[in-house]
Amino acid sequence: MNAPLKPTGYRQLAARYTTLTADMLAPQRTPLADAWLGLPMTFVAGATNAGGLLAVGQYTSHMSGIISSAADHAVVGALDLVVSGVGALIAFLLGAATSAVLVNWGRLHHAGREYSLPLALEACLLLAFGLLGAYTRSSSVVLGMEVAVLCFIMGLQNATVTKMSGAKIRTTHMTGIVTDIGIELGKLFYSNRRRRGTSAPLVMADREKLKLLCYFLGCFFFGGITGALGFSYVGFVFSVPLALIVFALAGPSFLRILFR
């Protein structure tokens, strides 16, 4: 049997964990940092989006679908649904705008830890979503607030990860991910036979990028399954472990800002 860790061992583990999360949120990005951050955040987005459908009756990260639905409802005269769609769009926009405000403020006052601010806010909002869930069935107003909170969270997360990675990765919707996978697959299967021996550059797929994009897609899908099962059998409280995942990434840097 292994001997229990000494206090110094715990401190070493805590230091490694703090360093790892700091590297994941660092402004100076590396492909490894993008992967370590993007995979859990994509899982959370997939779980939140799929679980949100069961919890509030609609997806909350897919603005294309929400805007299209609002247009369809406007044509048939369902103005209440148009207002609901516009509200979801505004909430998503406000989430993205809030991310930009927090990141730029943090960059000025807490350089190197600025990305922990919007992620810590996301964790808090996921907890709030779980708390509001107890009142959803008894109040349509609370249901509307739930939808707004989820859309705000999706906008906040998407803007944060997009800004952090230099628009290399998205985590809340898969349209761009699937498009990039298709592009890389096209390069992979392209025949360079007529290009060889000429001045034309060879068409080569970025296999590492393709692999990472497939991981993101898989994490979103697995997160969707997990979220659907979690919200179905556990209810709104399932947002608590999702909040803990996000806070596990942002917590060390955020707590250093608080207790500086």
Side-chain angles (χ1 to χ4, degrees):
M1 180 179 293
N2 294 329
L5 289 174
K6 297 179 180 179
T8 54
Y10 288 116
R11 285 197 292 269
Q12 290 176 352
L13 285 176
R16 290 179 182 177
Y17 164 63
T18 302
T19 301
L20 176 62
T21 55
D23 290 342
M24 290 165 61
L25 300 178
Q28 297 77 24
R29 306 306 298 165
T30 65
L32 184 60
D34 286 341
W36 275 105
L37 176 70
L39 293 174
M41 294 305 296
T42 303
F43 173 86
V44 169
T48 304
N49 198 40
L53 175 65
L54 298 175
V56 299
Q58 71 176 70
Y59 292 117
T60 52
S61 68
H62 187 45
M63 288 299 107
S64 299
I66 288 176
I67 295 172
S68 296
S69 295
D72 291 338
H73 293 143
V75 170
V76 300
L79 296 182
D80 56 334
L81 296 178
V82 174
V83 172
S84 176
V86 172
L89 173 63
I90 292 174
F92 191 96
L93 285 171
L94 288 176
T98 300
S99 171
V101 170
L102 290 175
V103 168
N104 286 296
W105 182 88
R107 188 171 291 157
L108 180 63
H109 298 281
H110 305 281
R113 300 191 180 99
E114 58 267 28
Y115 294 111
S116 66
L117 296 172
L119 293 182
L121 176 59
E122 178 180 345
C124 293
L125 290 174
L126 282 169
L127 290 175
F129 175 76
L131 294 175
L132 284 172
Y135 306 98
T136 297
R137 293 186 178 181
S138 60
S139 173
S140 59
V141 174
V142 176
L143 177 60
M145 291 175 60
E146 290 277 24
V147 174
V149 167
L150 283 183
C151 290
F152 186 94
I153 288 172
M154 291 294 99
L156 183 75
Q157 177 177 321
N158 197 48
T160 302
V161 176
T162 299
K163 193 171 182 64
M164 190 186 309
S165 67
K168 293 178 182 177
I169 59 176
R170 299 285 197 277
T171 58
T172 61
H173 55 279
M174 291 293 103
T175 303
I177 295 292
V178 175
T179 301
D180 289 343
I181 289 175
I183 292 172
E184 294 303 326
L185 285 175
K187 293 179 181 179
L188 183 65
F189 295 120
Y190 182 85
S191 174
N192 284 297
R193 183 178 57 185
R194 294 188 177 182
R195 287 175 173 257
R196 298 187 188 279
T198 68
S199 59
L202 298 181
V203 177
M204 304 296 292
D206 188 337
R207 294 173 182 264
E208 290 301 317
K209 179 181 179 180
L210 178 60
K211 185 188 301 183
L212 183 59
L213 291 171
C214 290
Y215 286 155
F216 286 149
L217 182 62
C219 274
F220 191 88
F221 179 74
F222 181 65
I225 293 175
T226 305
L229 290 173
F231 280 94
S232 294
Y233 291 100
V234 180
F236 284 86
V237 73
F238 188 73
S239 62
V240 173
L242 300 179
L244 292 177
I245 291 174
V246 178
F247 193 75
L249 300 173
S253 294
F254 179 69
L255 291 176
R256 285 193 174 188
I257 292 175
L258 285 182
F259 299 108
R260 184 178 178 180

Coordinates of all heavy atoms in Angstrom, one line a residue, residues 26 28 110 172-173 185:
A26 N -3.5 31.2 -20.1 CA -2.4 32.2 -20.3 C -2.7 32.9 -21.7 O -3.2 32.3 -22.6 CB -1.1 31.6 -20.4
Q28 N -0.5 33.9 -23.8 CA 0.4 33.4 -24.8 C -0.1 31.9 -25.0 O 0.1 31.0 -24.2 CB 1.8 33.4 -24.3 CG 2.4 34.8 -24.1 CD 1.9 35.4 -22.8 OE1 1.5 34.7 -21.8 NE2 1.9 36.7 -22.7
H110 N -5.2 43.0 -14.1 CA -4.7 41.6 -13.6 C -4.2 40.9 -14.8 O -4.6 39.8 -15.2 CB -5.8 40.8 -12.9 CG -6.5 41.6 -11.8 ND1 -5.9 41.6 -10.5 CD2 -7.6 42.2 -11.7 CE1 -6.7 42.3 -9.7 NE2 -7.7 42.7 -10.4
T172 N -19.1 26.3 -28.3 CA -20.5 26.3 -28.0 C -21.4 25.8 -29.2 O -22.5 25.5 -29.0 CB -21.0 27.6 -27.5 OG1 -20.8 28.6 -28.6 CG2 -20.3 28.1 -26.2
H173 N -20.8 25.8 -30.4 CA -21.5 25.3 -31.5 C -20.5 24.6 -32.5 O -19.4 25.0 -32.5 CB -22.3 26.4 -32.2 CG -21.5 27.6 -32.6 ND1 -21.1 28.6 -31.8 CD2 -21.0 27.9 -33.8 CE1 -20.4 29.5 -32.4 NE2 -20.3 29.1 -33.6
L185 N -10.3 17.2 -44.3 CA -10.5 15.9 -44.9 C -10.3 16.0 -46.4 O -9.8 15.2 -47.1 CB -11.9 15.3 -44.6 CG -12.1 14.8 -43.2 CD1 -13.6 14.4 -43.0 CD2 -11.2 13.6 -43.0

